[in-house]
Amino acid sequence: MNTTNDTTTPAGPNGKRRRILTIVATVFAVLGLLWFVLWYVVLSEREKTDDAYVNGNQVTVTAQIAGTVIGVYANNTDLVSAGQVLVRLDPTDAETALNRASSALAQAVRQVRQQQAMAGQYDAQIARSRLELARAEEDLARRSPLLADQAVAPEEVRHAEEAVAMARTNLSQAQRQAGAAHALVDGVSVQDNPAVQAAKAAYRDVYVNASRNAIVAPVAGFVALRGVQLGQRIQAGTALLNVVPLRNLWVD
């Protein structure tokens, strides 16, 4: 009777080492393939240079009115938002001008109302002058027939004629004055009167200038080239600083 014995030789240290090396080699091969794909698709298309810099549009912030700087609230490289106050000017001059413009507007309204009142007075003067002329003409009409009968003296008729002429002159003068007064106020209300409109426009201009004492950022971005200093006296149109928007950047 023959007996066959199956003998299984267990894996030794060399077999385990080969499996580990195979796994490590596979991992490195996969990583190498991924790196090649990344380089071919992305990195190979990128420009490389040792002489490049980031550039962008620069928005220059300027003063719209003259004034003295009493506050600077941003420095170079600061990130600011649109509408943020960057520089503030002394409001004293603007407040004084605003008070003057307000007084001028109130005075214009009063003058127009006075003109309306004067026009009414001249109308009343016309009515009085017409009554005086009517009385003078009636007096002359009564005396003129009596002159032929020598019932009145010629001097009385002459005085009556002079009274009629004077009354007509007064009526004509009152009509001219009334016409001039009505030309200033007729056809428009007080608020729509040209003089009041001009005063309102002047007040509006001064009010807008007063609001320009606070100089704000027109766009969001980083501050650059700040040249304004505290206490500086600036004129309208003076460049104060630049703001570089974040949305429009490129590499040169």
Side-chain angles (χ1 to χ4, degrees):
M1 180 176 182
N2 295 327
T3 303
T4 303
N5 294 326
D6 294 334
T7 303
T8 302
T9 303
N14 292 333
K16 184 182 294 185
R17 187 179 299 110
R18 283 195 298 271
R19 287 197 297 271
I20 293 174
L21 291 176
T22 301
I23 294 172
V24 172
T26 303
V27 170
F28 276 101
V30 171
L31 292 177
L33 179 61
L34 293 176
W35 173 255
F36 175 78
V37 172
L38 177 63
W39 176 86
Y40 184 78
V41 175
V42 179
L43 300 181
S44 64
E45 301 296 328
R46 298 177 62 181
E47 295 288 342
K48 295 181 180 180
T49 179
D50 294 330
D51 185 19
Y53 56 91
V54 177
N55 205 344
N57 293 321
Q58 298 188 25
V59 180
T60 301
V61 179
T62 60
Q64 294 179 291
I65 60 173
T68 301
V69 178
I70 61 172
V72 180
Y73 308 110
N75 293 313
N76 287 332
T77 73
D78 284 354
L79 176 62
V80 296
S81 57
Q84 179 178 336
V85 177
L86 304 178
V87 179
R88 193 176 296 276
L89 304 181
D90 187 353
T92 303
D93 294 341
E95 291 174 354
T96 302
L98 191 62
N99 291 334
R100 286 198 301 266
S102 178
S103 299
L105 176 58
Q107 182 64 25
V109 172
R110 285 194 294 268
Q111 288 179 345
V112 171
R113 289 175 176 171
Q114 289 175 352
Q115 291 169 352
Q116 290 177 333
M118 288 297 297
Q121 291 178 0
Y122 286 132
D123 290 340
Q125 181 62 41
I126 289 174
R128 287 194 297 270
S129 297
R130 285 175 176 167
L131 290 175
E132 291 174 358
L133 177 60
R135 285 196 296 266
E137 289 176 341
E138 289 176 358
D139 185 57
L140 178 60
R142 285 195 304 270
R143 294 175 184 276
S144 294
L146 299 177
L147 182 61
D149 298 334
Q150 296 182 351
V152 295
E155 291 79 3
E156 293 184 20
V157 176
R158 186 169 63 254
H159 289 326
E161 291 173 345
E162 291 174 353
V164 170
M166 181 62 69
R168 287 175 178 168
T169 300
N170 291 338
L171 175 59
S172 177
Q173 182 179 1
Q175 289 173 334
R176 288 195 300 270
Q177 291 173 334
H182 279 284
L184 297 175
V185 297
D186 281 358
V188 292
S189 61
V190 173
Q191 65 180 5
D192 293 329
N193 187 276
V196 175
Q197 287 291 320
K200 286 173 61 177
Y203 178 86
R204 189 180 301 110
D205 291 341
V206 174
Y207 178 82
V208 170
N209 285 337
S211 67
R212 289 171 175 167
N213 285 312
I215 302 172
V216 302
V219 295
F222 287 97
V223 175
L225 301 178
R226 198 204 88 178
V228 61
Q229 301 296 332
L230 190 66
Q232 179 181 354
R233 179 69 182 181
I234 60 176
Q235 301 298 322
T238 301
L240 307 178
L241 49 86
N242 289 353
V243 176
V244 181
L246 300 178
R247 294 178 299 175
N248 298 318
L249 299 177
W250 61 88
V251 176
D252 288 335

